[in-house]
Amino acid sequence: MRDKIYAELSTIVDPEVGFDIVSLGLIYDVEVSGDKGKVTMTLSTRACPLHELILSWVNDAVLRVDGINECDIDLVWEPEWNIMMANEAVRKALGA
C-alpha cells in the first residue's frame, strides 16, 4: 500500500519548479497503519507560497488509495531540504 501512496504522491507537481514532490525529495517517509496513511514530508522552503495548497493535494492523493480512509501529514523542517535530495534527473534539469 505504501507503493500506491507513493504513486499517488508522484502525481503532485510543484508548480514553482515543474517536478513532482516525490522526485524532488520532499517526501521523507510514508507509513500505513490499518486504513490510515501517514506522510512525513517537507517543503523546499518555509516561505513556500503554496504551503496549504500542497498539503491539501497530499491529503487528497493519499485518500485516493483504496483502503485508506485517513491521512496524517507530518510537515517537518529537519532535515532541511536541499537540491541534493532530489533524484538525479531533477538535479540535472535544475543544474545541480
Side-chain angles (χ1 to χ4, degrees):
M1 194 153 331
R2 287 179 76 239
D3 291 341
K4 290 180 181 180
I5 293 174
Y6 271 105
E8 286 295 332
L9 293 172
S10 70
T11 67
I12 301 170
V13 174
D14 183 324
E16 290 186 313
V17 291
F19 294 99
D20 72 87
I21 63 175
V22 174
S23 296
L24 282 167
L26 297 175
I27 304 300
Y28 291 164
D29 191 29
V30 171
E31 298 173 35
V32 176
S33 178
D35 67 346
K36 182 177 182 178
K38 179 181 179 184
V39 177
T40 302
M41 65 175 292
T42 194
L43 297 171
S44 58
T45 173
R46 288 180 187 253
C48 176
L50 300 173
H51 176 120
E52 293 300 325
L53 188 57
I54 291 173
L55 295 183
S56 173
W57 292 342
V58 167
N59 183 74
D60 293 348
V62 171
L63 294 178
R64 280 195 299 267
V65 174
D66 286 338
I68 299 293
N69 297 313
E70 188 177 344
C71 176
D72 181 25
I73 301 171
D74 186 12
L75 183 63
V76 299
W77 301 108
E78 294 293 328
E80 185 175 349
W81 182 86
N82 67 72
I83 191 62
M84 297 313 292
M85 294 173 164
N87 71 24
E88 185 176 347
V90 171
R91 290 193 311 265
K92 281 184 179 180
L94 296 177

